[in-house]
Structure formats: C-alpha cells, structure tokens
Amino acid sequence: MKPRLNLTQKIILSHILGNNKKIPEPLEPIKLKIDQTLTQDATGTLAYLQYESIVCNKKNKKVRVSLAVSYVDHNTLQTSFENSDDHKYLQTVAAKYGIIFSPAGNGICHQLHLENFSKPGSTLIGSDSHTPTSSAVGMLAIGVGGLEVACALAGEPFSLRMPKVVNIKLKNKLQEFVSAKDIILYLLKQFTVKGGVNKIFEYTGEGIRILSVYDRATITNMGTELGLTSSIFPSDRQTYKFFKFHNRLKDFKYLYPDEGCSYDEEYELDLAKISPMVAQPHSPDNVVSVDEIEGLKVDQVCIGSCTNSSIKDMIFFSKMLKGRKVNPKVSVIVYPGSRKVMYILEKLGLLENLYNAGVRVMEPVCGACIGQGQAPISAGISLRTFNRNFEGRSGTKDAKVYLSSVEVATAAAIYGEIVHPKVLGRYPKILIPEKINFKPLFIYPPKNNTQVEIFRGPNIKPLPEIPPLADNMILKVLKKLPDNISTDDILPAGTKILSLRSNIPAISKYMFCNKYPEIVTKIENIPEKERMFVLIAGHNYGQGSSREHAAIVQRYNGICVVVAKSFARIHKNNLINFGVVPLEFFDETNYDEIQDLDEIIIENLHSQLQFNTVFLIHKRTNKVIKTRLQLTQEEKDIIIAGGKLNFVREKYCK
Ligand code: MIC
Ligand code: SF4
C-alpha cells in the first residue's frame, strides 16, 4: 500500500535526491532539488559575488534553477554611491547570468514573490530568513545564507536535515478584530523563539478554511521567529482565489496532505480562544494579550513589512481611517507591500483615506523594519506590525518596540495608546476585487548575454580568501555571551552598515558594534597574526536574520570556534559555510566555568571532527570540556577546506 504522506513529505519526496524515495527519518541529512531561488539586495551582492567565484567568472554560465529572482527592497535610500553601485551590480549580474531583476520600488521581496512567482508543490530557497512566506500557497520555501543560493544557482542540490513535521491543527474561528498575526504571536508565546529549530509547522484543520492566503502568509512569514525551517499550508480554495486574483491560474494546483497521514508531533489550537496579542521589547516571543498592557501610550505606529503589508491589511487600515485623523501625538507610517498593493488602494479610492488621516505613505520597501529611516524618538515607544523587535534594530538604541497585528496598530494610531481594536467600531468589509490588471516591472534577462557588462563600483570588493583552520589551536575567549544573541546583535543593519554589505573588510569593523562596542577595539589591539578567538554563547546563538555577513565577519576577525548551548539553524549553517566551528556543550554547566580572556586549547581538530565530539582544554583550570558537533561528512569536509566556497569551487571551476 502507498504510504500516506503529509504535505511536507510529499514535496520533499518529489525533490529528494538519491535515497530511493523513502520518507527520511527526522534529522537525517537529505539533499533537495531546488526549483526557485530569491535574493534581496542586502544579501544578494555577496551571493552573486560568490556565484561568480564558484563558476570562476565563466561568462556563459547561466544559472541552473528554473527560476531565480533578485529583488532590491532592503537598502533603497541611496544616500551615497555605495548603495546605488550595489543595485547596478545586481541588475547587470542578473542580466548576465539569467536572473529576473526586481528594481527598488517594486515591493518587498516576500510579498512580490508570493504574488508573482510562488507555486504549489515547488521548492524555493532564499537568502532572507522570511523566505517561508511563500509556503502559504503549499510550496516548500526555506531561508538560507547567500552562499547556499549561490550553490543552488550553480546546480548544487540543497543539503539540510529532515525537519520534524509538526501538525498545527486549527479549530473554530477567530473572533472579530483578532487576526492571523495574533495566531502567530500566540504560538510564539507557547513555543518561544527557539521552539521551532529543525521543525516545520504544517497547518491543517477546519480553522484554516477561512484564512486567506494573505493571513496564511503572515503566519508562515513569522514562523521564522519560532526558529522553524519553514511553515506550510495546503493549496486549497483560498489558494485558488489568490492565484485567480493575480492572474496566475497556470501556476496553480490543489495540494493537500493525504487523509490519515501521520506527523512527528501534533498541537491543537482553538482559534476562538485567541485574543489580540502584542510582543513586548525586545523579543518576538515576549508576548502578552492586549488587555494586559492596555493604556500604554505610543509615540510611533508603523504598518507594513513582509509580515503585514498585503492588500487585505492595507484595505483594513485605510477603511478604518475613513473620516478619521491619526492621533496628533503619534507619528503614523505605512509601507504597502508592493506597488501592486498601492495601485489597488488607489483604484479602490482608499489612498485618500490615508492622506486625509495624516498618515505618512512610504514606498513599498522594508524601510523602518531594517532601520532604514523612521527611527523612533529617544526612549520612544513604537508599535509595529513587523516581525522583529530586537534591541536597537529600529535605529534608536533605547527605543521600545512592540509588535502587533494591523488591527491593534490601527487602533493605537487613532487613540494614541494600546487598546483592544474593538474600539474601532464595526469591522469593515474587506472586498478584494476578483481580478486586477497590473503588471509589476520585472526586468527579464536577455537571451543573448554577450553584450552585458557587469558593473562593479568601488564599493564592491573581492571576497576575502578564508584559509583552512589549523589542526591545533590556542584560542582566546573573546567574549562570553548570553542566550538568544541575534544576528542583529552580531552585525547590525541600518543605513550606514547596510551600504557595506559588498565590502567585507569594511563591514567587519562593525561586528557587535551596538551591543558590545569594546569587542572590535579589543581585536584591533592584537596584531593580525595573533587573532585566534573563541566565542562562548548561550542558547539559540545567531537567531534572526539569514545574513551570512554575520558569520563571515566573525571569521574575518579571527573567531575560529563558537561554543554555545545551542544554535539557530541558519546561522549555524552560515558558520560552517565560512569555516567557523560551531560546537555545543555536552554539559551546560561548563558554560559557567569559562570567563572572558581565558584560553582554550584544541588539539587534532580534524580527526576529532570525524567522531562528532571535540574535547577542549580549559587552560586556566586544566579541565577537559566535552563538546559535540553533529556534521555530515560533507560538512566536515567543508570545515576542513576552510568553508564551502573553497569546497565547491574545486568542483565547478574546472
Ligand atoms: C531581516 O529582517 O533581518 C533581514 C534584513 O531581512 C535579514 C536579511 C539581511 O540581513 O539582509 C533576514 O531576515 O534574513
Ligand atoms: Fe524586509 Fe523586514 Fe521582511 Fe526583513 S523582516 S525582509 S527587513 S520587511
């Protein structure tokens, strides 16, 4: 009898390479064929520099996936030449190698990908952690470091460990003014930011029927904050409606889990019991219900980001503002998700509600979500419909950022404080037109690329060479770090630093610059040749963004090993890809015994790696500390080669 498969297994089995199509065991290493890739500008420059390096700049090397899209949405301010140069590089490199280019102003990559390229049953990897947004239509979309995208473009399959598939069964219906964002915030409260590592949440149950693709995308998008590999919904009537609206029925198919299939874990959620939620500073899982903090005054409200910028969210916001003004004490800003969303708002006559109400209507970009403008006032309170509220990410160090649904944010924009959105009156009818004729500006690559010259401005520096690690090392403890260090802590974003994403020597000077500014000074006081460090970290090291820059700058600054209680998935992978060894304590109490500036000795690293256990000698106490590192043979070879680029170049440069 044919096995009954859940949806995740179906997609994995139709893309898995070389295991006779058996359902893999949880955490078993697997390789998948990748159908689509996406990049955004802030990770894209490096991803394409790496692609060029993998294929040794052979000009005829067109990418080897069915669809590759390069979006510009993060660093769009162009305050000086660096940023504009990066965009020009991205546009020309796309034309050269056969990649679709989406220029700045088209919209936010995840919103655009969902609207224009998502496809039930396909696989997508993207160099942005919120790539799983597109899994809202029953595809398997995963966020990765840019080097993984570069390898997929060259034709490499994507390696990962088979995630545990958790069935999230939704029952009943949401109450009025409670929305998809509250579902995901509720789940964050239950599972925390590290609860989803190496898991996929697969949503089923009667409760999903009334959730539109826009609602589902809010949930799959923010599944990233749970640390999930991805989140997935079936492709059903709602999905059909979505594809019809976007004039893309040719890409549509129904796709469900088999009846009676099994899951690794199950969790049932009664939607009727959820109330409006808010994540408090400084973590997306610091969630309380609105009732618990009602009355908290806000200085700023931002609506948008890849989590909540869909046409549905925008229609709600604009309808609620009809005939009203925003609270004069609050600065209210909106970023629609795409130009198409703006166009529809205009067609429906809804933009004028925003203008009349006094809302600042911005270009459809990431904007304030990535610290590109709209920093809150000093010690200000900002309520945002975004997905992350890590300390300092907004651009104001002492600001307090809260995360909520568009419903709660709209009420705060009008009342000046956090209140239950039922104060807004009747819930408006959200009538999304059946069809709309609007074609975004995608720039398709020419068939004949011989005339295309790749533009490289002075900000685009060659990739640094990463030498393999020595077999025997004495490493200084550079810093002992707490739990949940995010990649925003390791390497912040913001206008100034984002401009240096294609310049590793320059960006490396900003490592930990907001949280621990003394670290770089400490490094600079040590002669370059003697820079051999280890970082000690708590749980969930490297949560958040997929930016591989956060891993490269560690290696560039001499960090050879990170010993943590646990790691976030993408960052662990990025560390391996750039030749940094991510070790986990066997016994977490060893963490307490190590101090800043202690020395750690590692002997025979290469042979120790083969046994998945590495013994460290703590020089001050002479104690042996046991650590683990479960790697596939390929990952071991990657570390020994000094990173994945060195490893794959061998294969493709011939
Ligand atoms: C983010 O939301 O932190 C980003 C900016 O989109 C990152 C990617 C980056 O740092 O370029 C992400 O989520 O992966
Ligand atoms: Fe852009 Fe923010 Fe989404 Fe990251 S989380 S892709 S910065 S909108």
Side-chain angles (χ1 to χ4, degrees), residues 40-44 73-74 109-110 126-131 143-144 224-225 306 366 369-370 387-388 390 393 487-488 491-493 498 501 544-549 570:
Q40 41 87 343
D41 51 299
T43 55
D73 56 351
H74 276 62
C109 59
H110 306 304
S127 62
D128 190 281
S129 64
H130 293 103
T131 301
V144 296
T224 297
E225 277 48 63
C306 53
C366 297
C369 182
I370 190 60
N387 47 39
R388 290 188 174 142
F390 302 138
R393 181 173 159 104
T487 41
D488 274 297
L491 188 68
L498 274 179
R501 285 278 181 103
S545 148
S546 68
R547 62 190 74 146
E548 57 191 349
H549 303 73
I570 308 180

Side-chain angles (χ1 to χ4, degrees), residues 305-529:
S305 91
C306 53
T307 320
N308 278 115
S309 58
S310 70
I311 186 60
K312 184 190 165 205
D313 285 331
M314 293 300 140
I315 292 180
F316 171 86
F317 180 53
S318 159
K319 284 204 160 177
M320 277 291 135
L321 283 178
K322 188 168 182 172
R324 286 166 150 152
K325 292 272 182 240
V326 303
N327 189 291
K329 292 203 177 129
V330 185
S331 166
V332 181
I333 299 137
V334 65
Y335 295 89
S338 69
R339 205 176 254 148
K340 184 170 189 172
V341 170
M342 296 197 79
Y343 177 84
I344 300 169
L345 282 181
E346 197 186 307
K347 278 272 164 226
L348 297 179
L350 290 173
L351 264 185
E352 64 180 63
N353 295 350
L354 304 180
Y355 295 146
N356 283 331
V359 173
R360 294 182 65 184
V361 182
M362 313 299 278
E363 211 183 0
V365 291
C366 297
C369 182
I370 190 60
Q372 290 266 322
Q374 280 63 53
I377 59 166
S378 290
I381 294 196
S382 175
L383 179 67
R384 300 174 163 208
T385 65
F386 305 169
N387 47 39
R388 290 188 174 142
N389 58 347
F390 302 138
E391 200 170 359
R393 181 173 159 104
S394 65
T396 303
K397 253 186 166 172
D398 56 0
K400 295 201 171 59
V401 176
Y402 291 71
L403 307 173
S404 78
S405 66
V406 173
E407 286 78 356
V408 173
T410 307
I414 297 168
Y415 289 87
E417 58 186 42
I418 293 183
V419 277
H420 194 297
K422 67 184 177 219
V423 295
L424 290 169
R426 283 193 37 194
Y427 198 93
K429 271 212 152 31
I430 312 276
L431 289 176
I432 300 177
E434 282 260 302
K435 223 168 148 186
I436 207 103
N437 276 330
F438 178 86
K439 272 221 150 308
L441 173 70
F442 288 112
I443 302 174
Y444 284 80
K447 282 221 161 57
N448 179 352
N449 64 359
T450 45
Q451 299 302 314
V452 181
E453 282 300 320
I454 299 176
F455 173 90
R456 289 171 219 274
N459 185 46
I460 297 169
K461 295 278 183 257
L463 297 169
E465 286 293 325
I466 301 180
L469 290 178
D471 209 15
N472 297 306
M473 298 182 278
I474 302 180
L475 306 168
K476 210 183 244 352
V477 175
L478 188 60
K479 182 85 191 163
K480 186 164 149 183
L481 302 158
D483 286 351
N484 294 323
I485 285 289
S486 71
T487 41
D488 274 297
D489 295 326
I490 302 172
L491 188 68
T495 321
K496 190 163 131 205
I497 306 178
L498 274 179
S499 303
L500 302 173
R501 285 278 181 103
S502 49
N503 186 342
I504 301 301
I507 205 170
S508 295
K509 298 195 186 339
Y510 293 90
M511 188 178 78
F512 287 109
C513 66
N514 284 349
K515 204 161 175 103
Y516 306 110
E518 72 285 1
I519 289 190
V520 164
T521 327
K522 201 148 109 190
I523 296 174
E524 280 171 352
N525 286 336
I526 298 176
E528 226 176 292
K529 278 209 183 107

Side-chain angles (χ1 to χ4, degrees), residues 141-160:
I142 301 178
V144 296
L147 181 50
E148 298 295 343
V149 171
C151 290
L153 292 175
E156 277 287 292
F158 172 59
S159 305
L160 81 161

